[in-house]
Amino acid sequence: MFRYSTLCNATTAILLLAAGTIAAPTSRPAKRALSFDYQNDIVRGVNLGGWFVLEPWITPSIFSEWATTGRTVVDEYTYSQTLGPTEALSRLSSHWNTWITQDDFNQIGAAGFNHVRIPIGYWAVAPLPGDPYVQGQLPILDQAIGWARNASLKVLIDLHGAPGSQNGFDNSGRYGPVDWQQGNTVNETLNAIQGLAERYTNQTDVVTAIELLNEPLDSSINMDELKTFYLNGYGVVRDSNSDTAVTIHDAFENIDTYWNGFMNAQSGCTNVILDTHQYQVFSQAQVSETLTEHISSACALGPQLAGTDKWTIVGEWSGAQTDCAQWLNGLGLGARYDGTLAGSSYVGACTGGIFNGTVADLSSTEQSNIRQFIEAQMDAYEEHTGWIYWCWKTESAPEWNVQELLAAGLFPQPLTSREFTSTAQKCELVAGAPTHPMEVGWWGPNSPVAGLGRGRGGVDEGRIGEGRCGGEDRRRVREGGRKGGGKGREKKEGCCGCKGTSLKAQSKGASGVKAQSKGASGVKAQSKGASGVKAQSKGASGVKAQSKGASGVCMRLRRCDAEGERG
């Protein structure tokens, strides 16, 4: 197995594999500068989903012949298993060579994006005996690196599927139980990472980052072992080069309270990116939100992103506000929004374009809502390192299809332009408006939410403590599951904010501000200071907010006003 020092600055590795021992490299490559400045520039990118790792909802035509067969084929594993290697390779080769081409890269670059994130499965790099998967992806990925270079794009290669499945989702290659970390699966995953790092060691002008593993599911794995895997994966990449950023996923843990202090510069790690995925459609509470609530939820994440101690990107997000896209929850499964998914309740109808269509099939209200939601998220996620939208294209899911959204004028052009300034840029939440479900224990009825803040130099920095998510709830919300508190500050007098995943009150006053929060499944927060700002929130199944005072305004915002100063 792979064993590295627990410190990132380890200089050698002992690679003990089942078949024997492989000597570690005797020296590391010379350190050079990254070809993208993650410290000072903003990542603005798109995911090339559904290309090398199949997802039925992105390309339903590939799976249509099994739409009524009782979920016998639901992912790439069962697809390849059912067709057999010859037919599977024939069909997939055609898909790999046509779904994404040089023209797509050219369009992406022309739209002002600077990154593409390319998901790939372990089976493309280090296939295992007995797997039904077929190979042939890597030569096309090689071409894609050249296409990216031609279009002045950087590439983040993302290991999207691990042996045994790291999350049980169909996007891991195999839907079902989470068996990653069983047997030799971790070492097999490291073999795949080693293969990618070595293959592209001389192309770091384009391949600026490698993601060690997409969306490992914390409720189903050992998190200490995941951290060890991340350290080993870091060492594997560094053995090939020092010019590639190593990207780790947050595993649905809090990006501040859980991950700060791990693999940061102080630990000896260099060029590490934390990846968090932010969707607002994978719980009943989320699909029940209004547009204002969706925007408020997105804006709350900005200060939390800014509070991380390493580069942090939102590596997956979308403009979707429903889970209506056909098969988004799995082939043959329904949606929460219209109550057709088991355990859900009706919110609205999944009809027209949001179920299966194009952007042109969306109503004018749906189109406007998507644009506003996209703008708000872009503003929030650029509080730190940036974002990568999921995804570039789909066959029939317009809320997720950047290519169509661009053509319809629903994705900002240039990327810095804004149509809905007051809503998107300020991220305003007026006192008394409903707060988002993460603030009312939406991850489960027994969430321990507690925190304490104190005035310091006239600026309060109260923070809500970390919430917990039960396994069943987490499985249901998938990427939408988000836990814990936030961190950040606004330096404009009279401002307070609801930050993180539960209410955070902060204000600036002559003698400082005292803030505290307490709650189980609900949230109670209170803040009061000499400047006359008082905010209070309390509820078990809902949240009530109040604000009063001469300068008292309670809002979640990116800027207090045109002259406001960001914290």
Side-chain angles (χ1 to χ4, degrees):
M1 62 183 294
F2 293 78
R3 293 188 186 277
Y4 280 78
S5 164
T6 56
L7 296 177
C8 286
N9 59 6
T11 57
T12 58
I14 302 174
L15 288 73
L16 302 174
L17 300 175
T21 301
I22 300 176
T26 57
S27 63
R28 289 186 180 275
K31 181 175 177 57
R32 297 189 298 273
L34 291 174
S35 61
F36 184 85
D37 186 357
Y38 290 101
Q39 182 66 30
N40 298 301
D41 295 337
I42 297 294
V43 172
R44 298 184 176 107
V46 292
N47 283 274
L48 303 184
W51 190 13
F52 296 129
V53 179
L54 295 182
E55 298 190 38
W57 71 274
I58 296 178
T59 53
S61 66
I62 292 178
F63 291 85
S64 60
E65 64 190 272
W66 298 284
T68 60
T69 60
R71 287 178 55 78
T72 56
V73 174
V74 296
D75 51 30
E76 188 161 339
Y77 187 97
T78 51
Y79 177 88
S80 302
Q81 187 178 57
T82 299
L83 291 177
T86 302
E87 182 64 16
L89 180 59
S90 174
R91 295 191 189 188
L92 287 176
S93 293
S94 176
H95 170 68
W96 297 333
N97 281 288
T98 57
W99 181 244
I100 300 291
T101 66
Q102 174 76 75
D103 183 59
D104 291 285
F105 280 80
N106 292 344
Q107 290 181 49
I108 293 167
F113 297 100
N114 53 37
H115 275 69
V116 291
R117 181 172 177 260
I118 304 181
I120 196 162
Y122 77 89
W123 56 89
V125 188
L128 298 175
D131 276 350
Y133 299 113
V134 296
Q135 288 70 51
Q137 303 92 331
L138 289 182
I140 302 170
L141 179 58
D142 294 343
Q143 279 186 307
I145 305 306
W147 297 339
R149 183 178 288 110
N150 294 339
S152 299
L153 293 166
K154 304 304 183 184
V155 172
L156 187 161
I157 299 177
D158 152 48
L159 193 68
H160 217 68
S165 179
Q166 71 277 16
N167 52 36
F169 306 151
D170 57 11
N171 58 45
S172 71
R174 188 171 190 178
Y175 177 89
V178 178
D179 288 333
W180 188 67
Q181 295 184 336
Q182 305 302 312
N184 201 41
T185 54
V186 172
N187 290 331
E188 291 161 350
T189 307
L190 290 167
N191 283 335
I193 294 168
Q194 184 177 37
L196 290 170
E198 291 177 350
R199 189 178 190 92
Y200 299 110
T201 186
N202 294 319
Q203 302 203 55
T204 56
D205 63 312
V206 175
V207 181
T208 56
I210 293 176
E211 185 153 3
L212 302 181
L213 188 59
N214 179 70
E215 294 182 355
L217 187 62
D218 57 350
S219 60
S220 299
I221 62 172
N222 183 305
M223 289 298 294
D224 289 336
E225 292 181 12
L226 177 67
K227 287 183 174 181
T228 299
F229 163 76
Y230 281 163
L231 289 167
N232 284 331
Y234 176 93
V236 167
V237 174
R238 288 289 169 265
D239 278 341
S240 294
N241 66 74
S242 298
D243 311 324
T244 301
V246 175
T247 306
I248 61 175
H249 186 265
D250 66 5
F252 308 110
E253 292 285 348
N254 182 267
I255 58 177
D256 284 341
T257 58
Y258 190 88
W259 290 108
N260 275 353
F262 178 73
M263 291 182 70
N264 58 8
Q266 289 71 31
S267 70
C269 291
T270 58
N271 300 334
V272 173
I273 300 173
L274 180 65
D275 178 19
T276 184
H277 295 170
Q278 298 292 325
Y279 295 117
Q280 295 188 32
V281 297
F282 291 111
S283 77
Q284 186 68 44
Q286 287 178 318
V287 298
S288 301
E289 287 188 313
T290 65
L291 172 63
T292 299
E293 292 170 320
H294 280 298
I295 289 174
S296 299
S297 300
C299 293
L301 189 67
Q304 193 176 353
L305 290 165
T308 59
D309 64 0
K310 56 186 70 69
W311 299 329
T312 303
I313 61 170
V314 179
E316 292 187 20
W317 62 283
S318 85
Q321 295 153 63
T322 76
D323 63 337
C324 287
Q326 183 183 28
W327 298 344
L328 178 63
N329 295 302
L331 191 148
L333 301 181
R336 297 168 186 82
Y337 190 75
D338 66 358
T340 57
L341 184 68
S344 64
S345 57
Y346 182 86
V347 177
C350 286
T351 57
I354 61 172
F355 172 69
N356 188 329
T358 67
V359 169
D361 298 321
L362 300 176
S363 70
S364 59
T365 297
E366 289 169 336
Q367 292 186 17
S368 175
N369 287 352
I370 289 173
R371 172 77 188 226
Q372 290 186 63
F373 189 34
I374 286 173
E375 288 186 6
Q377 291 183 87
M378 291 169 76
D379 283 342
Y381 305 158
E382 290 183 13
E383 288 293 318
H384 203 354
T385 312
W387 48 265
I388 305 178
Y389 194 98
W390 188 281
C391 53
W392 169 239
K393 60 169 37 171
T394 68
E395 287 183 341
S396 57
E399 294 176 295
W400 304 77
N401 189 329
V402 172
Q403 188 180 47
E404 280 197 3
L405 292 171
L406 282 167
L410 301 184
F411 208 98
Q413 283 292 282
L415 297 176
T416 53
S417 70
R418 299 292 181 266
E419 285 187 3
F420 299 95
T421 302
S422 60
T423 301
Q425 287 192 340
K426 284 192 175 181
C427 292
E428 183 173 311
L429 179 64
V430 178
T435 53
H436 60 92
M438 289 186 288
E439 292 175 350
V440 295
W442 66 286
W443 47 80
N446 300 313
S447 305
V449 182
L452 178 66
R454 58 183 177 179
R456 188 183 313 164
V459 179
D460 166 65
E461 296 184 55
R463 178 165 52 173
I464 299 303
E466 184 174 357
R468 290 294 172 190
C469 179
E472 182 61 25
D473 287 333
R474 179 81 49 69
R475 183 59 175 246
R476 188 176 299 122
V477 303
R478 299 179 62 201
E479 296 95 328
R482 188 60 39 211
K483 307 183 304 178
K487 182 180 180 182
R489 60 183 66 85
E490 296 291 343
K491 297 178 180 177
K492 182 75 174 179
E493 182 168 347
C495 294
C496 57
C498 304
K499 305 201 175 170
T501 58
S502 45
L503 185 64
K504 173 183 173 182
Q506 69 177 15
S507 177
K508 181 177 180 181
S511 59
V513 177
K514 179 180 179 183
Q516 59 186 4
S517 68
K518 183 178 182 182
S521 60
V523 177
K524 179 181 179 182
Q526 181 171 303
S527 173
K528 185 176 182 181
S531 62
V533 178
K534 179 179 180 182
Q536 180 170 308
S537 174
K538 182 179 181 181
S541 60
V543 174
K544 177 181 179 184
Q546 300 177 354
S547 174
K548 68 179 182 179
S551 61
V553 178
C554 186
M555 62 180 66
R556 183 186 294 119
L557 72 164
R558 187 168 185 259
R559 297 179 179 89
C560 293
D561 53 32
E563 293 77 37
E565 183 179 5
R566 273 195 287 170

